[in-house]
mmCIF file of all heavy atoms in Angstrom:
data_model
loop_
_atom_site.group_PDB
_atom_site.id
_atom_site.type_symbol
_atom_site.label_atom_id
_atom_site.label_comp_id
_atom_site.label_asym_id
_atom_site.label_seq_id
_atom_site.Cartn_x
_atom_site.Cartn_y
_atom_site.Cartn_z
ATOM 1 N N LEU A 20 0.798 -1.160 -0.090
ATOM 2 C CA LEU A 20 0.023 -0.028 -0.043
ATOM 3 C C LEU A 20 0.868 1.265 -0.006
ATOM 4 O O LEU A 20 0.582 2.191 -0.738
ATOM 5 C CB LEU A 20 -1.010 0.007 1.270
ATOM 6 C CG LEU A 20 -1.745 1.276 1.312
ATOM 7 C CD1 LEU A 20 -2.702 1.442 0.197
ATOM 8 C CD2 LEU A 20 -2.503 1.407 2.708
ATOM 9 N N GLU A 21 1.904 1.224 0.754
ATOM 10 C CA GLU A 21 2.683 2.447 0.901
ATOM 11 C C GLU A 21 3.540 2.728 -0.362
ATOM 12 O O GLU A 21 3.693 3.868 -0.826
ATOM 13 C CB GLU A 21 3.677 2.307 2.148
ATOM 14 C CG GLU A 21 2.885 2.549 3.449
ATOM 15 C CD GLU A 21 3.733 2.367 4.691
ATOM 16 O OE1 GLU A 21 4.812 1.998 4.614
ATOM 17 O OE2 GLU A 21 3.141 2.730 5.791
ATOM 18 N N ALA A 22 4.003 1.646 -1.009
ATOM 19 C CA ALA A 22 4.621 1.771 -2.230
ATOM 20 C C ALA A 22 3.623 2.332 -3.412
ATOM 21 O O ALA A 22 4.061 3.237 -4.061
ATOM 22 C CB ALA A 22 5.226 0.450 -2.791
ATOM 23 N N ALA A 23 2.456 1.871 -3.423
ATOM 24 C CA ALA A 23 1.499 2.257 -4.250
ATOM 25 C C ALA A 23 1.248 3.803 -4.008
ATOM 26 O O ALA A 23 1.208 4.660 -5.003
ATOM 27 C CB ALA A 23 0.192 1.457 -4.300
ATOM 28 N N PHE A 24 1.021 4.105 -2.820
ATOM 29 C CA PHE A 24 0.579 5.545 -2.381
ATOM 30 C C PHE A 24 1.885 6.474 -2.756
ATOM 31 O O PHE A 24 1.634 7.501 -3.265
ATOM 32 C CB PHE A 24 0.271 5.612 -0.997
ATOM 33 C CG PHE A 24 -0.116 6.875 -0.564
ATOM 34 C CD1 PHE A 24 -1.591 7.311 -0.776
ATOM 35 C CD2 PHE A 24 0.574 7.845 0.099
ATOM 36 C CE1 PHE A 24 -2.005 8.576 -0.360
ATOM 37 C CE2 PHE A 24 0.194 9.012 0.468
ATOM 38 C CZ PHE A 24 -1.191 9.374 0.171
ATOM 39 N N ASP A 25 3.067 6.018 -2.462
ATOM 40 C CA ASP A 25 4.198 6.808 -2.822
ATOM 41 C C ASP A 25 4.346 7.071 -4.346
ATOM 42 O O ASP A 25 4.972 8.046 -4.658
ATOM 43 C CB ASP A 25 5.498 6.198 -2.284
ATOM 44 C CG ASP A 25 5.681 6.190 -0.658
ATOM 45 O OD1 ASP A 25 4.870 6.966 -0.074
ATOM 46 O OD2 ASP A 25 6.452 5.416 -0.191
ATOM 47 N N ASN A 26 3.867 6.237 -5.070
ATOM 48 C CA ASN A 26 3.782 6.438 -6.492
ATOM 49 C C ASN A 26 2.552 7.049 -7.133
ATOM 50 O O ASN A 26 2.313 6.982 -8.303
ATOM 51 C CB ASN A 26 4.012 5.066 -7.271
ATOM 52 C CG ASN A 26 5.447 4.720 -7.089
ATOM 53 O OD1 ASN A 26 6.281 5.291 -7.877
ATOM 54 N ND2 ASN A 26 5.834 3.689 -6.181
ATOM 55 N N GLY A 27 1.791 7.593 -6.165
ATOM 56 C CA GLY A 27 0.576 8.482 -6.582
ATOM 57 C C GLY A 27 -0.806 7.676 -6.581
ATOM 58 O O GLY A 27 -1.759 8.241 -7.056
ATOM 59 N N ILE A 28 -0.849 6.447 -6.330
ATOM 60 C CA ILE A 28 -2.065 5.736 -6.187
ATOM 61 C C ILE A 28 -2.736 5.954 -4.914
ATOM 62 O O ILE A 28 -2.286 5.581 -3.909
ATOM 63 C CB ILE A 28 -1.834 4.285 -6.444
ATOM 64 C CG1 ILE A 28 -1.246 4.028 -7.935
ATOM 65 C CG2 ILE A 28 -3.122 3.430 -6.357
ATOM 66 C CD1 ILE A 28 -0.786 2.576 -8.159
ATOM 67 N N ASN A 29 -3.998 6.541 -4.989
ATOM 68 C CA ASN A 29 -4.795 6.833 -3.819
ATOM 69 C C ASN A 29 -6.193 6.156 -3.905
ATOM 70 O O ASN A 29 -7.075 6.438 -3.126
ATOM 71 C CB ASN A 29 -4.939 8.418 -3.587
ATOM 72 C CG ASN A 29 -5.694 8.996 -4.696
ATOM 73 O OD1 ASN A 29 -6.000 8.510 -5.703
ATOM 74 N ND2 ASN A 29 -5.955 10.332 -4.473
ATOM 75 N N PHE A 30 -6.348 5.419 -4.875
ATOM 76 C CA PHE A 30 -7.634 4.761 -5.186
ATOM 77 C C PHE A 30 -7.547 3.372 -4.839
ATOM 78 O O PHE A 30 -6.668 2.625 -5.514
ATOM 79 C CB PHE A 30 -8.118 4.896 -6.629
ATOM 80 C CG PHE A 30 -9.390 4.278 -6.995
ATOM 81 C CD1 PHE A 30 -10.565 4.897 -6.528
ATOM 82 C CD2 PHE A 30 -9.540 3.228 -7.724
ATOM 83 C CE1 PHE A 30 -11.839 4.275 -6.759
ATOM 84 C CE2 PHE A 30 -10.708 2.602 -7.990
ATOM 85 C CZ PHE A 30 -11.865 3.076 -7.460
ATOM 86 N N ILE A 31 -8.353 2.698 -3.997
ATOM 87 C CA ILE A 31 -8.239 1.287 -3.627
ATOM 88 C C ILE A 31 -9.560 0.677 -4.036
ATOM 89 O O ILE A 31 -10.716 1.096 -3.752
ATOM 90 C CB ILE A 31 -8.111 1.200 -2.027
ATOM 91 C CG1 ILE A 31 -6.944 2.079 -1.551
ATOM 92 C CG2 ILE A 31 -7.979 -0.286 -1.617
ATOM 93 C CD1 ILE A 31 -5.610 1.749 -2.070
ATOM 94 N N ASP A 32 -9.377 -0.575 -4.605
ATOM 95 C CA ASP A 32 -10.555 -1.344 -5.147
ATOM 96 C C ASP A 32 -10.697 -2.605 -4.215
ATOM 97 O O ASP A 32 -9.707 -3.322 -4.097
ATOM 98 C CB ASP A 32 -10.358 -1.732 -6.620
ATOM 99 C CG ASP A 32 -11.438 -2.766 -6.957
ATOM 100 O OD1 ASP A 32 -12.628 -2.291 -7.076
ATOM 101 O OD2 ASP A 32 -11.211 -3.937 -7.113
ATOM 102 N N SER A 33 -11.870 -2.728 -3.584
ATOM 103 C CA SER A 33 -12.006 -3.976 -2.721
ATOM 104 C C SER A 33 -13.607 -4.407 -2.969
ATOM 105 O O SER A 33 -14.331 -3.843 -3.613
ATOM 106 C CB SER A 33 -11.946 -3.372 -1.278
ATOM 107 O OG SER A 33 -12.123 -4.535 -0.404
ATOM 108 N N ALA A 34 -13.635 -5.669 -2.473
ATOM 109 C CA ALA A 34 -15.067 -6.166 -2.351
ATOM 110 C C ALA A 34 -15.087 -7.178 -1.166
ATOM 111 O O ALA A 34 -14.070 -7.810 -0.783
ATOM 112 C CB ALA A 34 -15.389 -6.919 -3.695
ATOM 113 N N ASP A 35 -16.321 -7.269 -0.637
ATOM 114 C CA ASP A 35 -16.368 -8.009 0.649
ATOM 115 C C ASP A 35 -16.148 -9.565 0.294
ATOM 116 O O ASP A 35 -15.925 -10.305 1.320
ATOM 117 C CB ASP A 35 -17.740 -7.840 1.284
ATOM 118 C CG ASP A 35 -18.914 -8.328 0.468
ATOM 119 O OD1 ASP A 35 -18.775 -8.401 -0.747
ATOM 120 O OD2 ASP A 35 -19.971 -8.527 1.064
ATOM 121 N N ILE A 36 -16.114 -10.025 -0.962
ATOM 122 C CA ILE A 36 -15.791 -11.417 -1.197
ATOM 123 C C ILE A 36 -14.325 -11.646 -1.525
ATOM 124 O O ILE A 36 -13.926 -12.805 -1.529
ATOM 125 C CB ILE A 36 -16.788 -12.012 -2.257
ATOM 126 C CG1 ILE A 36 -16.327 -11.355 -3.637
ATOM 127 C CG2 ILE A 36 -18.183 -11.780 -1.923
ATOM 128 C CD1 ILE A 36 -16.963 -12.102 -4.909
ATOM 129 N N TYR A 37 -13.500 -10.668 -1.680
ATOM 130 C CA TYR A 37 -12.174 -10.852 -2.002
ATOM 131 C C TYR A 37 -11.430 -11.616 -0.910
ATOM 132 O O TYR A 37 -11.519 -11.374 0.220
ATOM 133 C CB TYR A 37 -11.362 -9.540 -2.113
ATOM 134 C CG TYR A 37 -11.780 -8.691 -3.414
ATOM 135 C CD1 TYR A 37 -11.170 -7.497 -3.692
ATOM 136 C CD2 TYR A 37 -12.566 -9.283 -4.401
ATOM 137 C CE1 TYR A 37 -11.498 -6.828 -4.735
ATOM 138 C CE2 TYR A 37 -12.787 -8.474 -5.640
ATOM 139 C CZ TYR A 37 -12.267 -7.213 -5.686
ATOM 140 O OH TYR A 37 -12.626 -6.637 -6.777
ATOM 141 N N GLY A 38 -10.803 -12.800 -1.270
ATOM 142 C CA GLY A 38 -10.156 -13.595 -0.291
ATOM 143 C C GLY A 38 -11.115 -14.262 0.731
ATOM 144 O O GLY A 38 -10.862 -14.421 1.856
ATOM 145 N N GLN A 39 -12.342 -14.386 0.214
ATOM 146 C CA GLN A 39 -13.501 -14.889 1.109
ATOM 147 C C GLN A 39 -13.575 -14.029 2.381
ATOM 148 O O GLN A 39 -13.806 -14.477 3.468
ATOM 149 C CB GLN A 39 -13.318 -16.367 1.459
ATOM 150 C CG GLN A 39 -13.359 -17.201 0.272
ATOM 151 C CD GLN A 39 -13.058 -18.667 0.605
ATOM 152 O OE1 GLN A 39 -13.073 -19.064 1.642
ATOM 153 N NE2 GLN A 39 -13.064 -19.481 -0.432
ATOM 154 N N GLY A 40 -13.552 -12.717 2.167
ATOM 155 C CA GLY A 40 -13.524 -11.740 3.095
ATOM 156 C C GLY A 40 -12.291 -11.398 3.883
ATOM 157 O O GLY A 40 -12.267 -10.322 4.675
ATOM 158 N N GLU A 41 -11.348 -12.170 3.737
ATOM 159 C CA GLU A 41 -10.069 -11.877 4.490
ATOM 160 C C GLU A 41 -9.234 -10.775 3.941
ATOM 161 O O GLU A 41 -8.530 -10.144 4.801
ATOM 162 C CB GLU A 41 -9.238 -13.244 4.421
ATOM 163 C CG GLU A 41 -9.860 -14.377 5.338
ATOM 164 C CD GLU A 41 -10.037 -14.139 6.724
ATOM 165 O OE1 GLU A 41 -9.124 -13.603 7.343
ATOM 166 O OE2 GLU A 41 -11.156 -14.422 7.233
ATOM 167 N N SER A 42 -9.398 -10.462 2.729
ATOM 168 C CA SER A 42 -8.562 -9.382 2.234
ATOM 169 C C SER A 42 -8.937 -8.008 2.850
ATOM 170 O O SER A 42 -8.089 -7.254 3.179
ATOM 171 C CB SER A 42 -8.733 -9.261 0.690
ATOM 172 O OG SER A 42 -8.091 -10.388 0.012
ATOM 173 N N GLU A 43 -10.332 -7.841 3.055
ATOM 174 C CA GLU A 43 -10.614 -6.554 3.763
ATOM 175 C C GLU A 43 -10.146 -6.604 5.247
ATOM 176 O O GLU A 43 -9.973 -5.559 5.765
ATOM 177 C CB GLU A 43 -12.226 -6.357 3.609
ATOM 178 C CG GLU A 43 -12.554 -5.884 2.171
ATOM 179 C CD GLU A 43 -13.992 -5.431 2.122
ATOM 180 O OE1 GLU A 43 -14.832 -5.805 2.993
ATOM 181 O OE2 GLU A 43 -14.314 -4.574 1.278
ATOM 182 N N LYS A 44 -10.166 -7.768 5.801
ATOM 183 C CA LYS A 44 -9.652 -7.755 7.211
ATOM 184 C C LYS A 44 -8.220 -7.328 7.296
ATOM 185 O O LYS A 44 -7.833 -6.597 8.184
ATOM 186 C CB LYS A 44 -9.900 -9.210 7.810
ATOM 187 C CG LYS A 44 -11.306 -9.523 8.055
ATOM 188 C CD LYS A 44 -11.446 -10.857 8.698
ATOM 189 C CE LYS A 44 -12.963 -11.250 8.952
ATOM 190 N NZ LYS A 44 -13.021 -12.634 9.371
ATOM 191 N N ILE A 45 -7.377 -7.899 6.357
ATOM 192 C CA ILE A 45 -6.025 -7.581 6.306
ATOM 193 C C ILE A 45 -5.870 -6.055 5.985
ATOM 194 O O ILE A 45 -5.072 -5.322 6.560
ATOM 195 C CB ILE A 45 -5.242 -8.448 5.216
ATOM 196 C CG1 ILE A 45 -5.199 -9.840 5.582
ATOM 197 C CG2 ILE A 45 -3.747 -7.874 5.000
ATOM 198 C CD1 ILE A 45 -4.343 -10.188 6.704
ATOM 199 N N PHE A 46 -6.685 -5.554 5.006
ATOM 200 C CA PHE A 46 -6.559 -4.087 4.689
ATOM 201 C C PHE A 46 -6.923 -3.271 5.876
ATOM 202 O O PHE A 46 -6.271 -2.239 6.127
ATOM 203 C CB PHE A 46 -7.578 -3.875 3.518
ATOM 204 C CG PHE A 46 -7.393 -2.379 2.924
ATOM 205 C CD1 PHE A 46 -6.216 -1.997 2.348
ATOM 206 C CD2 PHE A 46 -8.415 -1.535 3.250
ATOM 207 C CE1 PHE A 46 -6.079 -0.820 1.909
ATOM 208 C CE2 PHE A 46 -8.301 -0.167 2.814
ATOM 209 C CZ PHE A 46 -7.156 0.200 2.128
ATOM 210 N N GLY A 47 -7.874 -3.697 6.758
ATOM 211 C CA GLY A 47 -8.107 -3.016 7.994
ATOM 212 C C GLY A 47 -6.925 -2.840 8.887
ATOM 213 O O GLY A 47 -6.589 -1.812 9.468
ATOM 214 N N GLN A 48 -6.170 -4.021 8.918
ATOM 215 C CA GLN A 48 -4.906 -4.010 9.797
ATOM 216 C C GLN A 48 -3.870 -3.059 9.171
ATOM 217 O O GLN A 48 -3.192 -2.347 9.870
ATOM 218 C CB GLN A 48 -4.308 -5.406 9.843
ATOM 219 C CG GLN A 48 -5.257 -6.385 10.639
ATOM 220 C CD GLN A 48 -4.763 -7.786 10.627
ATOM 221 O OE1 GLN A 48 -3.622 -8.009 10.263
ATOM 222 N NE2 GLN A 48 -5.705 -8.694 10.907
ATOM 223 N N VAL A 49 -3.897 -3.107 7.891
ATOM 224 C CA VAL A 49 -2.840 -2.262 7.082
ATOM 225 C C VAL A 49 -3.124 -0.734 7.451
ATOM 226 O O VAL A 49 -2.213 -0.006 7.580
ATOM 227 C CB VAL A 49 -2.973 -2.551 5.594
ATOM 228 C CG1 VAL A 49 -2.322 -1.474 4.741
ATOM 229 C CG2 VAL A 49 -2.400 -3.912 5.257
ATOM 230 N N LEU A 50 -4.378 -0.359 7.390
ATOM 231 C CA LEU A 50 -4.671 1.053 7.662
ATOM 232 C C LEU A 50 -4.118 1.472 9.090
ATOM 233 O O LEU A 50 -3.809 2.556 9.294
ATOM 234 C CB LEU A 50 -6.247 1.184 7.549
ATOM 235 C CG LEU A 50 -6.755 1.276 6.125
ATOM 236 C CD1 LEU A 50 -8.264 1.428 6.124
ATOM 237 C CD2 LEU A 50 -6.015 2.293 5.272
ATOM 238 N N LYS A 51 -4.161 0.516 10.010
ATOM 239 C CA LYS A 51 -3.644 0.872 11.433
ATOM 240 C C LYS A 51 -2.158 0.791 11.437
ATOM 241 O O LYS A 51 -1.567 1.674 12.152
ATOM 242 C CB LYS A 51 -4.254 -0.204 12.330
ATOM 243 C CG LYS A 51 -5.703 -0.132 12.694
ATOM 244 C CD LYS A 51 -6.096 -1.173 13.555
ATOM 245 C CE LYS A 51 -7.664 -1.139 13.675
ATOM 246 N NZ LYS A 51 -8.160 -2.293 14.553
ATOM 247 N N LEU A 52 -1.507 -0.010 10.550
ATOM 248 C CA LEU A 52 -0.020 -0.019 10.554
ATOM 249 C C LEU A 52 0.590 1.039 9.665
ATOM 250 O O LEU A 52 1.723 1.454 9.973
ATOM 251 C CB LEU A 52 0.457 -1.376 10.067
ATOM 252 C CG LEU A 52 0.114 -2.599 10.902
ATOM 253 C CD1 LEU A 52 0.415 -3.877 10.149
ATOM 254 C CD2 LEU A 52 0.896 -2.582 12.244
ATOM 255 N N SER A 53 -0.020 1.568 8.690
ATOM 256 C CA SER A 53 0.421 2.427 7.695
ATOM 257 C C SER A 53 0.696 3.838 8.149
ATOM 258 O O SER A 53 -0.091 4.303 9.061
ATOM 259 C CB SER A 53 -0.346 2.367 6.508
ATOM 260 O OG SER A 53 0.063 3.351 5.432
ATOM 261 N N LYS A 54 1.643 4.413 7.527
ATOM 262 C CA LYS A 54 1.810 5.893 7.821
ATOM 263 C C LYS A 54 0.784 6.783 7.019
ATOM 264 O O LYS A 54 0.763 7.972 7.310
ATOM 265 C CB LYS A 54 3.212 6.327 7.324
ATOM 266 C CG LYS A 54 3.397 6.144 5.816
ATOM 267 C CD LYS A 54 4.825 6.501 5.331
ATOM 268 C CE LYS A 54 4.898 6.276 3.839
ATOM 269 N NZ LYS A 54 6.120 6.516 3.234
#
């Protein structure tokens, strides 16, 4: 996420079924860890 953001990407595509719901859970953790 930080590499994408550092390169100008600020748009995130998600869906509640990605990774059977686990991808959004990981993304939630990422938002807490990220600068």
Side-chain angles (χ1 to χ4, degrees):
L20 175 65
E21 290 178 349
F24 188 79
D25 289 346
N26 284 285
I28 296 174
N29 66 351
F30 179 75
I31 309 300
D32 173 69
S33 182
D35 64 337
I36 68 165
Y37 287 174
Q39 298 181 4
E41 293 299 313
S42 289
E43 283 194 335
K44 288 180 184 175
I45 296 288
F46 186 69
Q48 294 172 18
V49 166
L50 289 176
K51 291 177 183 173
L52 293 171
S53 177
K54 64 181 181 183

